[in-house]
């Protein structure tokens, strides 16, 4: 069954309560900001971008009011230039590398300039790219997240027939359902997908490969297959009380607030987020922005060992988030089926050698708990693919071609990396497409 993904976003979404953290520049702001750029040769900003967008060129094009040219420069390198402009951690990528930092000045706002150029082109409905001359070859893409869509777009531009299979009702993977809404609204992600689809890609939603459509049939119909299915559900903490009302996984929660209106922040007095990665930090910042009075991040290791970005953690602290380090949950506490708190214990030790401090248990009062301890690995499909090598639940691929040990299959994105930025998935999906193209041409 092929289902159009362009469903109306009719329901009131909690996501719309958020203000954008980096709003769209107007023309004067964009030209003025572009004029600050030094247009460096061997620009470090360009090197720092995993998709190597020609940053000085697109900024110069904004400065000279060649906005279509600017958008084309961006999208030629990175077909998901809009969601990356919103969601990239620019502070540690392009803007972190900007030479302005060394001169003690504010880095050029590369992400906001990128958004300005791409949104302008989308508003005009410009299709910069079209399908290449047909090679007569067919590729199937399983999963419509950033890696899958980037791979699909590149293959279509190279002239291959591409069909993307997505098990959910809407495509986009985490881009449309799990990026923090103050960074990227889901309708912006869907607008970008519509642009990519117009290159000449078919996207079939609501189809789970291996369940609704046999893998053997897919293998018969397509010359090559790309797997970009991401990760699964939020990992369980495996402690008592996880099933209480008011305790849920962070990815599930973000999808709820992005896609519907099932979360009432006004009913919460104290929220706790358990985890130390970027998703945990996004969640505490979201809860604060939704005006939850007390928000606490609980992490079992030291502050130094948090995997989340320091600049995001610092912003969370400035926004009033509280932190409990070297503290781990033993039980989610409840009354009448609802969360009333967490039984916690202090930990000691660093760099992997972690133990609990006996006698340090205490009860922490809260009425909402989010688990941000990572996502489960997806293994159901993997077991159906012959000779696929799996390590720690992730698909093993060649580091440059992204081909798996089964030569018909390529893979990239979170199901290979275990979790990376949108821009890394986009870059890897494109590299895989280039390698698939070479293989498809050889098979002609
Ligand atoms: Fe412009 Fe900064 Fe990039 Fe130089 S490093 S080209 S100043 S954005």
């Amino acid at each position: 069954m092929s289902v159009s993904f362009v469903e109306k976003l009719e329901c009131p979404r909690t996501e719309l309560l958020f203000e954008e953290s980096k709003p769209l520049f107007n023309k004067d702001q964009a030209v003025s900001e572009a004029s600050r750029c030094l247009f460096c040769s061997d620009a470090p900003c360009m090197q720092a971008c995993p998709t190597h967008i020609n940053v000085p060129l697109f900024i110069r094009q904004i400065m000279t009011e060649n906005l279509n040219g600017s958008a084309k420069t961006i999208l030629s390198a990175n077909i998901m230039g809009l969601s990356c402009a919103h969601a990239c951690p620019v502070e540690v990528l392009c803007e972190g590398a900007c030479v302005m930092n060394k001169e003690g000045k504010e880095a050029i706002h590369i992400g906001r300039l990128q958004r300005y150029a791409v949104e302008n082109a989308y508003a005009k409905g410009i299709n910069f790219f079209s399908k290449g001359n047909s090679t007569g070859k067919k590729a199937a893409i399983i999963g419509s997240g950033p890696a899958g869509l980037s791979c699909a777009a590149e293959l279509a531009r190279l002239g291959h027939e591409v069909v993307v299979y997505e098990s959910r009702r809407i495509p986009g993977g985490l881009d449309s359902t799990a990026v923090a809404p103050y960074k990227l609204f889901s309708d912006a992600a869907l607008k970008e997908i519509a642009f990519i689809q117009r290159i000449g890609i078919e996207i079939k939603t609501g189809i789970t490969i291996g369940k609704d459509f046999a893998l053997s049939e897919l293998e018969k119909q397509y010359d090559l297959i790309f797997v970009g299915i991401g990760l699964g559900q939020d990992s369980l903490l495996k402690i008592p009380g996880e099933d209480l009302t008011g305790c849920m996984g962070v990815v599930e929660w973000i999808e709820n607030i992005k896609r519907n209106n099932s979360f009432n922040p006004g009913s919460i007095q104290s929220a706790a987020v358990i985890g130390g990665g970027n998703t945990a930090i996004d969640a505490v910042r979201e809860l604060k922005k939704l005006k939850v009075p007390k928000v606490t991040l609980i992490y079992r290791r030291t502050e130094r060992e948090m995997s989340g970005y320091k600049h995001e953690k610092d912003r969370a602290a400035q926004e009033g988030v509280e932190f409990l380090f070297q503290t781990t949950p033993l039980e989610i506490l409840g009354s009448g089926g609802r969360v009333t708190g967490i039984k916690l214990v202090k930990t000691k030790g660093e760099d992997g050698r972690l133990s609990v401090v006996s006698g340090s248990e205490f009860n922490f009062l809260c009425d909402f708990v989010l688990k941000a301890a990572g996502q489960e690995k997806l293994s159901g499909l993997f077991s159906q693919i012959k000779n696929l090598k799996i390590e720690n639940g992730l698909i093993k691929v060649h580091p440059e071609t992204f081909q798996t040990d089964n030569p018909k299959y390529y893979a990239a994105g979170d199901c290979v990396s275990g979790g990376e930025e949108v821009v890394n998935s986009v870059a890897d999906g494109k590299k895989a497409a280039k390698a698939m193209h070479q293989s498809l041409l050889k098979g002609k």
Side-chain angles (χ1 to χ4, degrees):
M1 180 177 57
S2 177
V3 181
S4 169
F5 76 83
V6 189
E7 65 164 27
K8 286 258 181 268
L9 299 171
E10 285 165 341
C11 53
R13 285 170 290 150
T14 310
E15 140 172 286
L16 299 177
L17 294 174
F18 289 92
E19 278 180 30
E20 290 185 294
S21 58
K22 294 177 182 172
L24 183 64
F25 277 142
N26 62 34
K27 183 182 166 192
D28 289 346
Q29 289 170 326
V31 172
S32 164
E33 182 62 9
S35 305
R36 288 204 304 125
C37 180
L38 304 176
F39 308 111
C40 311
S41 56
D42 290 331
C45 53
M46 188 172 161
Q47 303 310 323
C49 172
T51 59
H52 302 303
I53 294 171
N54 191 332
V55 176
L57 175 60
F58 95 69
I59 293 181
R60 188 186 291 279
Q61 288 167 318
I62 290 175
M63 191 182 74
T64 56
E65 299 190 29
N66 175 8
L67 281 189
N68 294 351
S70 180
K72 191 169 185 187
T73 300
I74 295 161
L75 297 170
S76 301
N78 180 341
I79 200 71
M80 304 193 76
L82 182 63
S83 53
C84 288
H86 281 271
C88 262
V90 288
E91 294 82 353
V92 296
L93 295 174
C94 55
E95 293 180 18
C98 177
V99 296
M100 291 295 202
N101 295 304
K102 286 199 184 123
E103 297 188 9
K105 295 179 186 161
E106 197 178 5
I108 304 295
H109 290 278
I110 300 168
R112 291 181 71 185
L113 287 170
Q114 182 167 313
R115 176 182 172 188
Y116 175 72
V118 177
E119 286 214 5
N120 185 276
Y122 280 1
K124 291 184 195 155
I126 302 173
N127 292 332
F128 292 107
F129 312 113
S130 55
K131 203 163 170 190
N133 291 333
S134 176
T135 61
K137 297 289 180 181
K138 291 179 76 178
I141 311 287
I142 309 177
S144 67
L149 290 176
S150 170
C151 181
E154 191 67 17
L155 286 170
R157 290 178 66 190
L158 290 165
H160 306 294
E161 202 66 42
V162 185
V163 180
V164 179
Y165 293 90
E166 169 59 51
S167 60
R168 301 167 78 105
R169 278 187 309 113
I170 60 161
L174 296 184
D175 231 22
S176 50
T177 59
V179 175
Y182 61 90
K183 294 180 178 171
L184 175 66
F185 284 159
S186 52
D187 44 4
L190 293 178
K191 188 164 59 175
E192 180 171 65
I193 295 165
F195 164 78
I196 292 169
Q197 193 179 30
R198 285 199 295 273
I199 296 172
I201 296 160
E202 187 175 3
I203 301 178
K204 295 187 176 188
T205 57
I207 296 177
T208 302
I209 298 298
K211 198 169 134 209
D212 304 318
F213 194 101
L215 199 65
S216 55
E217 193 53 37
L218 200 75
E219 289 178 348
K220 255 188 245 161
Q221 289 186 16
Y222 295 91
D223 299 292
L224 288 179
I225 298 169
F226 175 88
V227 180
I229 57 173
L231 298 169
Q233 294 181 332
D234 294 285
S235 298
L236 292 171
L237 297 174
K238 296 182 180 150
I239 58 174
E242 284 188 82
D243 53 350
L244 288 166
T245 302
C247 175
M248 64 194 302
V250 69
V251 173
E252 181 191 356
W253 176 69
I254 295 176
E255 179 166 357
N256 273 349
I257 61 175
K258 282 179 81 80
R259 302 290 310 147
N260 57 47
N261 196 20
S262 64
F263 178 68
N264 177 11
S267 65
I268 295 169
Q269 289 303 310
S270 171
V273 177
I274 299 166
N278 286 313
T279 311
I281 299 174
D282 277 347
V284 286
R285 293 192 67 199
E286 283 158 56
L287 287 160
K288 260 294 163 198
K289 287 172 194 293
L290 288 170
K291 305 206 175 356
V292 173
K294 182 177 167 66
V295 179
T296 308
L297 185 143
I298 298 168
Y299 181 49
R300 63 196 170 125
R301 299 185 185 278
T302 62
E303 182 174 1
R304 184 182 65 79
E305 293 171 288
M306 278 181 81
S307 60
Y309 295 122
K310 185 178 178 309
H311 67 271
E312 296 273 11
K313 196 221 98 192
D314 291 346
R315 281 183 197 148
Q318 285 159 13
E319 289 161 359
V321 171
E322 295 170 35
F323 293 83
L324 276 176
F325 295 111
Q326 293 193 290
T327 307
T328 197
L330 295 173
E331 181 180 352
I332 310 296
L333 304 170
S335 169
R338 287 203 62 87
V339 169
T340 55
I342 315 174
K343 184 176 184 183
L344 297 168
V345 65
K346 299 303 290 180
T347 67
K348 61 181 179 182
E350 287 191 41
D351 301 325
R353 296 181 301 280
L354 201 67
S355 60
V356 299
V357 179
S358 72
S360 66
E361 295 87 354
F362 64 103
N363 288 350
F364 177 87
L365 294 180
C366 61
D367 43 12
F368 188 62
V369 177
L370 285 178
K371 301 174 284 183
Q375 289 172 261
E376 297 293 331
K377 316 269 177 29
L378 290 169
S379 56
L381 178 68
F382 302 168
S383 60
Q384 298 181 43
I385 302 172
K386 281 194 196 110
N387 300 327
L388 200 67
K389 191 166 176 192
I390 304 296
E391 276 185 12
N392 298 321
L394 302 170
I395 304 174
K396 189 90 182 128
V397 296
H398 185 281
E400 278 150 31
T401 65
F402 293 86
Q403 190 173 34
T404 71
D405 280 14
N406 179 331
K408 197 174 178 87
Y409 285 85
Y410 290 69
D414 287 355
C415 62
V416 170
S417 68
E420 59 185 355
E421 296 297 342
V422 172
V423 70
N424 298 103
S425 293
V426 173
D428 292 349
K430 187 173 178 179
K431 284 182 206 158
K434 287 183 183 298
M436 290 167 79
H437 175 60
Q438 292 306 323
S439 172
L440 288 166
L441 291 188
K442 266 190 226 154
K444 281 188 83 174

